[in-house]
Amino acid sequence: MDGVTVLGLGAMGSALARAFLGQGLTTTVWNRTPARGDDLVARGARRTGDVAEAVAAGSLVVVCLTDHDAVAQVLDAAGDALPGRTVADLTTGSPEQARDTAARVRPAACLNGVVQAGPEQIGTPQATFFYSGPPEAYAAHRTAFDALGTAHHVGAEPGLAAVYDLALLGLWYDAALAYLNALALVGGAGNVAPEAFAPFAGRQLGHVVGAADDVAREVRDRAYPRGPASLTEHAPVLEHLVRLRATANLGTAHLEDALSLVRRRISAGHGADGFTSLIEELG
Ligand code: FVH
């Protein structure tokens, strides 16, 4: 593989460039504010003030800027230098924006990447990256991607890495909000100190984590064993919970959704199924 170019030397772009340099890769850097590259130049990076020249210097061009608008502006300035290169855009964005970038740089190959790590973790196995786009472009630059952390190619469709990112963030938001609701419920009902409830909450969240692989298998096989409770048994629990939450002036929308899905499955004759069976009503 020839050299690597990094466009954007904010906290994340600088960490990416440092990791490339740390693995001995020839690294060219560009930033709108050139002085942000001083430390990288001291570590051996080549700096240029011209986007097209920076792009021409690398067979892999890694882009990490504030947002999609900045990416569009910077890549549009690369002009004729793009064909023949692979662009890996690690800027956070939506699946639509990933597709827009892929179309914008064509005929250059484009990988959309997602960083699930902070700058301090870059270059360690703890930094997780998802990439989507042409598999052959990913394979050709695997050495560079491995220099950044643990890399996963999730598919050829350009927007798929962003879907992974948002699905995982959604999982976190749902679980974090569920925990806050539980703390508010016990705090309001019995003035329970959060730290007194925390170990029980941790154990309960652990059940979700522990069941992740089993749930995936059930969804894949479309077979939904009862598990800890059947849908018929879940329904009254959800009804109690919705009432209690409403009394405490806490949100009930998610739980009411769950309850109506449970009722729909029961009406369709699936009351003996386990909770995973709700997937049949989603999407
Ligand atoms: N930092 C983090 O922990 C997170 C981890 C998860 C993923 N994000 C995403 O990474 C993108 C960049 O984030 P960042 O932390 O590096 O951001 P900044 O330090 O603020 O640097 C921003 C860079 O973007 C340049 N820039 C902004 N607008 C333009 C523009 N119109 N034209 C050219 N460059 C632009 C900015 O340049 P300058 O201000 O230094 O001149 C910086 O290089 C982001 O998508 C996160 O969501 C990071």
Side-chain angles (χ1 to χ4, degrees):
M1 195 195 68
D2 298 317
V4 178
T5 289
V6 180
L7 304 179
L9 302 176
M12 186 52 76
S14 295
L16 301 171
R18 271 196 301 279
F20 289 140
L21 290 164
Q23 288 301 310
L25 298 176
T26 304
T27 306
T28 300
V29 295
W30 173 91
N31 196 55
R32 178 178 63 179
T33 310
R36 287 186 91 166
D38 288 353
D39 169 64
L40 295 162
V41 171
R43 290 169 187 253
R46 178 172 169 261
R47 172 170 50 196
T48 167
D50 182 68
V51 177
E53 196 180 308
V55 168
S59 61
L60 174 65
V61 178
V62 173
V63 187
C64 192
L65 302 169
T66 304
D67 56 24
H68 182 66
D69 286 348
V71 172
Q73 277 173 32
V74 169
L75 290 177
D76 285 351
D80 293 344
L82 280 168
R85 337 233 142 244
T86 293
V87 173
D89 181 15
L90 302 187
T91 306
T92 302
S94 67
E96 294 77 20
Q97 290 172 337
R99 284 179 214 118
D100 178 75
T101 301
R104 186 175 296 276
V105 303
R106 211 164 280 141
C110 187
L111 292 161
N112 179 53
V114 159
V115 190
Q116 291 225 316
E120 68 291 347
Q121 292 174 305
I122 302 303
T124 74
Q126 283 69 47
T128 300
F129 288 77
F130 297 114
Y131 298 93
S132 51
E136 57 282 3
Y138 175 73
H141 297 286
R142 195 62 208 265
T143 308
F145 296 136
D146 285 344
L148 302 179
T150 304
H152 304 274
H153 183 260
V154 295
E157 202 284 303
L160 200 52
V163 175
Y164 262 64
D165 191 35
L166 292 171
L168 289 167
L169 290 169
L171 196 53
W172 183 86
Y173 284 121
D174 282 344
L177 189 60
Y179 182 25
L180 293 178
N181 267 301
L183 285 174
L185 195 61
V186 294
N191 204 20
V192 176
E195 64 274 22
F197 187 69
F200 303 109
R203 198 185 312 155
Q204 190 75 343
L205 289 167
H207 293 322
V208 179
V209 175
D213 289 339
D214 286 343
V215 168
R217 264 190 297 276
E218 290 170 17
V219 169
R220 182 198 61 197
D221 298 342
R222 300 186 69 182
Y224 310 113
R226 174 183 175 279
S230 69
L231 292 179
T232 310
E233 291 160 320
H234 280 295
V237 179
L238 282 164
E239 285 161 11
H240 294 315
L241 188 51
V242 166
R243 266 198 302 276
L244 187 61
R245 285 255 194 103
T247 311
N249 288 323
L250 294 168
T252 58
H254 260 53
L255 291 170
E256 287 188 60
D257 284 348
L259 184 54
S260 73
L261 296 176
V262 166
R263 285 179 177 149
R264 219 183 298 164
R265 288 297 286 164
I266 294 171
S267 304
H270 301 286
D273 282 3
F275 198 76
T276 312
S277 133
L278 294 199
I279 191 88
E280 295 286 347
E281 301 289 335
L282 301 177

